[in-house]
Amino acid sequence: MRAPRVPRALRFLPAAALALTLAGCAPQAATTVQSTTPVRAVSFYPREAGLLWSYLPEGDSSATPPYTLQSQGVTLFGQDTVHAYRMTGRGADQTWYRAVDATGVRLLGIRKPGVTVRLHPAWLEYPAEAAWRVGLTWQGQSEVTLTADDGTVQARGTLTYSYVVQERRQVTTPGGRFDVWVVARQITDTVGGLFPATQQLWFTPFIGEVRTPEGLLLTGRNFAPRPGGQP
């Protein structure tokens, strides 16, 4: 039987291959604050604690084990109050720390067991809610610090990103039919290629990523569409 494959981007930076552990100012130990917000009250950029999404790589059989993404609610990343999103399954265990509000989504860092990356200033992943339109572009640059859990800085560098909203269209995945914004993302960095250079993702308001930058397709979620259907 073919072993389940993990998309390269989800493996992050293999320590054996690059001898780098990613941990920029490892997040302070903190207990995630669990929200009691009902899942029917999902935000434009979903962030309520307890939300769950399941994903499979494009081309995989629906019988293969999925990845599960969970919104874990509010926690601390260093001194910053953030929303944590953890993906597990098929050997993956990765957490994204994001500032999420009506002005957009900003990524402050990512963590796997024993490794973390810190980004300063935070990487703008998504724009203000009202800004979405075909042809919209945004870009930026962040300093990247890679630090081992023992506090040893392994590398420093820069990450440059740019986005363009290419179109809005209907797509169908195992998780249903969605009205998505199609976004192309390009990334370069000076610390060994943290992320693939070019990706395409699909985003639906009040649902989240229907196709992730790692090429994972939405197969299910634990909350229903907002009343009145998708925007």
Side-chain angles (χ1 to χ4, degrees), residues 185-212:
R185 183 180 89 175
Q186 292 188 317
I187 300 174
T188 59
D189 67 67
T190 62
V191 285
L194 283 175
F195 302 91
T198 304
Q199 308 87 26
Q200 185 183 85
L201 58 94
W202 303 338
F203 171 76
T204 297
F206 306 100
I207 297 292
E209 289 182 343
V210 174
R211 184 188 190 276
T212 76

mmCIF file of all heavy atoms in Angstrom, residues 185-212:
data_model
loop_
_atom_site.group_PDB
_atom_site.id
_atom_site.type_symbol
_atom_site.label_atom_id
_atom_site.label_comp_id
_atom_site.label_asym_id
_atom_site.label_seq_id
_atom_site.Cartn_x
_atom_site.Cartn_y
_atom_site.Cartn_z
ATOM 1 N N ARG A 185 -0.257 33.659 -5.326
ATOM 2 C CA ARG A 185 0.689 34.142 -4.325
ATOM 3 C C ARG A 185 2.105 33.790 -4.760
ATOM 4 O O ARG A 185 2.375 32.663 -5.164
ATOM 5 C CB ARG A 185 0.380 33.467 -2.977
ATOM 6 C CG ARG A 185 1.233 33.937 -1.828
ATOM 7 C CD ARG A 185 0.851 33.210 -0.536
ATOM 8 N NE ARG A 185 1.610 31.981 -0.364
ATOM 9 C CZ ARG A 185 1.553 31.207 0.719
ATOM 10 N NH1 ARG A 185 0.732 31.522 1.695
ATOM 11 N NH2 ARG A 185 2.287 30.122 0.816
ATOM 12 N N GLN A 186 3.011 34.764 -4.672
ATOM 13 C CA GLN A 186 4.418 34.529 -4.992
ATOM 14 C C GLN A 186 5.268 34.921 -3.796
ATOM 15 O O GLN A 186 5.034 35.959 -3.175
ATOM 16 C CB GLN A 186 4.842 35.321 -6.229
ATOM 17 C CG GLN A 186 4.195 34.845 -7.514
ATOM 18 C CD GLN A 186 4.782 35.521 -8.737
ATOM 19 O OE1 GLN A 186 5.019 36.725 -8.744
ATOM 20 N NE2 GLN A 186 5.018 34.750 -9.784
ATOM 21 N N ILE A 187 6.265 34.078 -3.492
ATOM 22 C CA ILE A 187 7.093 34.279 -2.304
ATOM 23 C C ILE A 187 8.548 34.004 -2.646
ATOM 24 O O ILE A 187 8.869 33.053 -3.362
ATOM 25 C CB ILE A 187 6.657 33.340 -1.165
ATOM 26 C CG1 ILE A 187 5.208 33.598 -0.776
ATOM 27 C CG2 ILE A 187 7.558 33.502 0.063
ATOM 28 C CD1 ILE A 187 4.680 32.628 0.237
ATOM 29 N N THR A 188 9.427 34.847 -2.118
ATOM 30 C CA THR A 188 10.861 34.563 -2.129
ATOM 31 C C THR A 188 11.391 34.822 -0.725
ATOM 32 O O THR A 188 10.821 35.629 0.028
ATOM 33 C CB THR A 188 11.613 35.465 -3.131
ATOM 34 O OG1 THR A 188 11.407 36.847 -2.793
ATOM 35 C CG2 THR A 188 11.126 35.218 -4.550
ATOM 36 N N ASP A 189 12.471 34.129 -0.358
ATOM 37 C CA ASP A 189 13.086 34.394 0.936
ATOM 38 C C ASP A 189 14.577 34.113 0.863
ATOM 39 O O ASP A 189 15.067 33.503 -0.090
ATOM 40 C CB ASP A 189 12.423 33.580 2.053
ATOM 41 C CG ASP A 189 12.665 32.087 1.934
ATOM 42 O OD1 ASP A 189 13.825 31.654 2.095
ATOM 43 O OD2 ASP A 189 11.705 31.331 1.689
ATOM 44 N N THR A 190 15.291 34.577 1.874
ATOM 45 C CA THR A 190 16.743 34.429 1.904
ATOM 46 C C THR A 190 17.188 33.426 2.960
ATOM 47 O O THR A 190 18.347 33.439 3.361
ATOM 48 C CB THR A 190 17.411 35.793 2.175
ATOM 49 O OG1 THR A 190 17.000 36.277 3.466
ATOM 50 C CG2 THR A 190 17.041 36.801 1.107
ATOM 51 N N VAL A 191 16.274 32.570 3.391
ATOM 52 C CA VAL A 191 16.614 31.592 4.432
ATOM 53 C C VAL A 191 16.363 30.166 3.958
ATOM 54 O O VAL A 191 15.940 29.296 4.727
ATOM 55 C CB VAL A 191 15.851 31.876 5.742
ATOM 56 C CG1 VAL A 191 16.452 33.060 6.466
ATOM 57 C CG2 VAL A 191 14.366 32.094 5.488
ATOM 58 N N GLY A 192 16.625 29.914 2.690
ATOM 59 C CA GLY A 192 16.595 28.536 2.212
ATOM 60 C C GLY A 192 15.311 28.080 1.585
ATOM 61 O O GLY A 192 15.138 26.882 1.339
ATOM 62 N N GLY A 193 14.380 28.974 1.303
ATOM 63 C CA GLY A 193 13.137 28.559 0.657
ATOM 64 C C GLY A 193 12.122 28.018 1.638
ATOM 65 O O GLY A 193 11.789 26.838 1.620
ATOM 66 N N LEU A 194 11.624 28.869 2.525
ATOM 67 C CA LEU A 194 10.647 28.426 3.514
ATOM 68 C C LEU A 194 9.359 27.930 2.881
ATOM 69 O O LEU A 194 8.705 27.032 3.386
ATOM 70 C CB LEU A 194 10.306 29.575 4.472
ATOM 71 C CG LEU A 194 11.306 29.920 5.567
ATOM 72 C CD1 LEU A 194 10.846 31.157 6.310
ATOM 73 C CD2 LEU A 194 11.453 28.747 6.519
ATOM 74 N N PHE A 195 8.977 28.546 1.772
ATOM 75 C CA PHE A 195 7.709 28.232 1.138
ATOM 76 C C PHE A 195 7.927 28.058 -0.361
ATOM 77 O O PHE A 195 8.828 28.663 -0.937
ATOM 78 C CB PHE A 195 6.699 29.365 1.364
ATOM 79 C CG PHE A 195 6.428 29.661 2.806
ATOM 80 C CD1 PHE A 195 7.184 30.612 3.479
ATOM 81 C CD2 PHE A 195 5.428 28.991 3.496
ATOM 82 C CE1 PHE A 195 6.941 30.905 4.814
ATOM 83 C CE2 PHE A 195 5.180 29.266 4.825
ATOM 84 C CZ PHE A 195 5.933 30.219 5.493
ATOM 85 N N PRO A 196 7.068 27.264 -1.032
ATOM 86 C CA PRO A 196 7.149 27.179 -2.483
ATOM 87 C C PRO A 196 7.001 28.557 -3.103
ATOM 88 O O PRO A 196 6.292 29.423 -2.572
ATOM 89 C CB PRO A 196 5.961 26.269 -2.846
ATOM 90 C CG PRO A 196 5.709 25.469 -1.600
ATOM 91 C CD PRO A 196 6.027 26.383 -0.459
ATOM 92 N N ALA A 197 7.652 28.787 -4.224
ATOM 93 C CA ALA A 197 7.723 30.130 -4.791
ATOM 94 C C ALA A 197 6.371 30.660 -5.251
ATOM 95 O O ALA A 197 6.069 31.838 -5.083
ATOM 96 C CB ALA A 197 8.704 30.138 -5.958
ATOM 97 N N THR A 198 5.549 29.819 -5.863
ATOM 98 C CA THR A 198 4.273 30.268 -6.428
ATOM 99 C C THR A 198 3.175 29.290 -6.066
ATOM 100 O O THR A 198 3.353 28.075 -6.190
ATOM 101 C CB THR A 198 4.363 30.387 -7.959
ATOM 102 O OG1 THR A 198 5.443 31.262 -8.295
ATOM 103 C CG2 THR A 198 3.073 30.929 -8.544
ATOM 104 N N GLN A 199 2.040 29.815 -5.621
ATOM 105 C CA GLN A 199 0.891 28.974 -5.310
ATOM 106 C C GLN A 199 -0.384 29.681 -5.728
ATOM 107 O O GLN A 199 -0.416 30.900 -5.885
ATOM 108 C CB GLN A 199 0.785 28.663 -3.805
ATOM 109 C CG GLN A 199 2.032 28.097 -3.159
ATOM 110 C CD GLN A 199 2.960 29.194 -2.681
ATOM 111 O OE1 GLN A 199 2.536 30.295 -2.382
ATOM 112 N NE2 GLN A 199 4.245 28.888 -2.624
ATOM 113 N N GLN A 200 -1.445 28.907 -5.880
ATOM 114 C CA GLN A 200 -2.773 29.460 -6.088
ATOM 115 C C GLN A 200 -3.672 28.959 -4.979
ATOM 116 O O GLN A 200 -3.661 27.770 -4.641
ATOM 117 C CB GLN A 200 -3.344 29.045 -7.443
ATOM 118 C CG GLN A 200 -4.692 29.704 -7.760
ATOM 119 C CD GLN A 200 -5.279 29.223 -9.071
ATOM 120 O OE1 GLN A 200 -5.952 28.197 -9.123
ATOM 121 N NE2 GLN A 200 -5.024 29.959 -10.149
ATOM 122 N N LEU A 201 -4.446 29.853 -4.384
ATOM 123 C CA LEU A 201 -5.373 29.461 -3.332
ATOM 124 C C LEU A 201 -6.758 29.981 -3.672
ATOM 125 O O LEU A 201 -6.921 30.900 -4.470
ATOM 126 C CB LEU A 201 -4.893 30.001 -1.982
ATOM 127 C CG LEU A 201 -4.711 31.513 -1.844
ATOM 128 C CD1 LEU A 201 -5.967 32.167 -1.271
ATOM 129 C CD2 LEU A 201 -3.511 31.825 -0.963
ATOM 130 N N TRP A 202 -7.768 29.346 -3.050
ATOM 131 C CA TRP A 202 -9.160 29.751 -3.225
ATOM 132 C C TRP A 202 -9.721 30.118 -1.862
ATOM 133 O O TRP A 202 -9.627 29.334 -0.912
ATOM 134 C CB TRP A 202 -9.992 28.624 -3.822
ATOM 135 C CG TRP A 202 -9.506 28.096 -5.135
ATOM 136 C CD1 TRP A 202 -8.706 28.723 -6.048
ATOM 137 C CD2 TRP A 202 -9.791 26.800 -5.701
ATOM 138 N NE1 TRP A 202 -8.470 27.920 -7.134
ATOM 139 C CE2 TRP A 202 -9.130 26.729 -6.951
ATOM 140 C CE3 TRP A 202 -10.551 25.715 -5.279
ATOM 141 C CZ2 TRP A 202 -9.210 25.608 -7.760
ATOM 142 C CZ3 TRP A 202 -10.635 24.592 -6.079
ATOM 143 C CH2 TRP A 202 -9.969 24.541 -7.316
ATOM 144 N N PHE A 203 -10.339 31.286 -1.780
ATOM 145 C CA PHE A 203 -10.902 31.735 -0.511
ATOM 146 C C PHE A 203 -12.374 32.075 -0.680
ATOM 147 O O PHE A 203 -12.768 32.727 -1.656
ATOM 148 C CB PHE A 203 -10.161 32.971 -0.003
ATOM 149 C CG PHE A 203 -10.825 33.604 1.194
ATOM 150 C CD1 PHE A 203 -10.709 33.031 2.456
ATOM 151 C CD2 PHE A 203 -11.606 34.752 1.051
ATOM 152 C CE1 PHE A 203 -11.341 33.598 3.552
ATOM 153 C CE2 PHE A 203 -12.230 35.327 2.142
ATOM 154 C CZ PHE A 203 -12.106 34.747 3.399
ATOM 155 N N THR A 204 -13.190 31.646 0.285
ATOM 156 C CA THR A 204 -14.611 31.981 0.328
ATOM 157 C C THR A 204 -14.930 32.633 1.666
ATOM 158 O O THR A 204 -14.667 32.032 2.717
ATOM 159 C CB THR A 204 -15.491 30.726 0.158
ATOM 160 O OG1 THR A 204 -15.257 30.165 -1.131
ATOM 161 C CG2 THR A 204 -16.971 31.078 0.278
ATOM 162 N N PRO A 205 -15.469 33.862 1.668
ATOM 163 C CA PRO A 205 -15.839 34.501 2.933
ATOM 164 C C PRO A 205 -16.792 33.628 3.746
ATOM 165 O O PRO A 205 -17.645 32.939 3.193
ATOM 166 C CB PRO A 205 -16.538 35.786 2.466
ATOM 167 C CG PRO A 205 -15.944 36.074 1.128
ATOM 168 C CD PRO A 205 -15.722 34.728 0.502
ATOM 169 N N PHE A 206 -16.614 33.652 5.055
ATOM 170 C CA PHE A 206 -17.426 32.913 6.021
ATOM 171 C C PHE A 206 -17.212 31.395 5.948
ATOM 172 O O PHE A 206 -17.827 30.657 6.700
ATOM 173 C CB PHE A 206 -18.925 33.242 5.866
ATOM 174 C CG PHE A 206 -19.222 34.709 5.931
ATOM 175 C CD1 PHE A 206 -19.421 35.447 4.770
ATOM 176 C CD2 PHE A 206 -19.280 35.368 7.142
ATOM 177 C CE1 PHE A 206 -19.684 36.808 4.813
ATOM 178 C CE2 PHE A 206 -19.539 36.741 7.202
ATOM 179 C CZ PHE A 206 -19.741 37.453 6.039
ATOM 180 N N ILE A 207 -16.338 30.938 5.051
ATOM 181 C CA ILE A 207 -15.987 29.516 4.940
ATOM 182 C C ILE A 207 -14.508 29.318 5.234
ATOM 183 O O ILE A 207 -14.120 28.468 6.026
ATOM 184 C CB ILE A 207 -16.322 28.952 3.544
ATOM 185 C CG1 ILE A 207 -17.823 29.022 3.275
ATOM 186 C CG2 ILE A 207 -15.809 27.517 3.409
ATOM 187 C CD1 ILE A 207 -18.660 28.106 4.118
ATOM 188 N N GLY A 208 -13.660 30.116 4.587
ATOM 189 C CA GLY A 208 -12.218 29.970 4.730
ATOM 190 C C GLY A 208 -11.578 29.517 3.434
ATOM 191 O O GLY A 208 -12.113 29.753 2.341
ATOM 192 N N GLU A 209 -10.439 28.862 3.532
ATOM 193 C CA GLU A 209 -9.720 28.407 2.345
ATOM 194 C C GLU A 209 -10.342 27.126 1.809
ATOM 195 O O GLU A 209 -10.398 26.107 2.501
ATOM 196 C CB GLU A 209 -8.240 28.193 2.672
ATOM 197 C CG GLU A 209 -7.497 29.505 2.889
ATOM 198 C CD GLU A 209 -6.027 29.347 3.174
ATOM 199 O OE1 GLU A 209 -5.593 28.224 3.529
ATOM 200 O OE2 GLU A 209 -5.302 30.361 3.073
ATOM 201 N N VAL A 210 -10.802 27.197 0.565
ATOM 202 C CA VAL A 210 -11.357 26.031 -0.122
ATOM 203 C C VAL A 210 -10.226 25.254 -0.780
ATOM 204 O O VAL A 210 -10.281 24.032 -0.890
ATOM 205 C CB VAL A 210 -12.415 26.480 -1.143
ATOM 206 C CG1 VAL A 210 -12.911 25.309 -1.987
ATOM 207 C CG2 VAL A 210 -13.583 27.154 -0.418
ATOM 208 N N ARG A 211 -9.205 25.956 -1.226
ATOM 209 C CA ARG A 211 -7.938 25.345 -1.653
ATOM 210 C C ARG A 211 -6.832 26.099 -0.949
ATOM 211 O O ARG A 211 -6.718 27.321 -1.069
ATOM 212 C CB ARG A 211 -7.741 25.428 -3.161
ATOM 213 C CG ARG A 211 -6.459 24.717 -3.643
ATOM 214 C CD ARG A 211 -6.203 24.983 -5.120
ATOM 215 N NE ARG A 211 -5.143 24.138 -5.653
ATOM 216 C CZ ARG A 211 -3.846 24.403 -5.574
ATOM 217 N NH1 ARG A 211 -3.429 25.508 -4.970
ATOM 218 N NH2 ARG A 211 -2.949 23.580 -6.095
ATOM 219 N N THR A 212 -6.001 25.390 -0.206
ATOM 220 C CA THR A 212 -4.925 26.031 0.535
ATOM 221 C C THR A 212 -3.714 26.248 -0.367
ATOM 222 O O THR A 212 -3.601 25.631 -1.438
ATOM 223 C CB THR A 212 -4.495 25.178 1.736
ATOM 224 O OG1 THR A 212 -3.708 24.063 1.272
ATOM 225 C CG2 THR A 212 -5.697 24.662 2.527
#
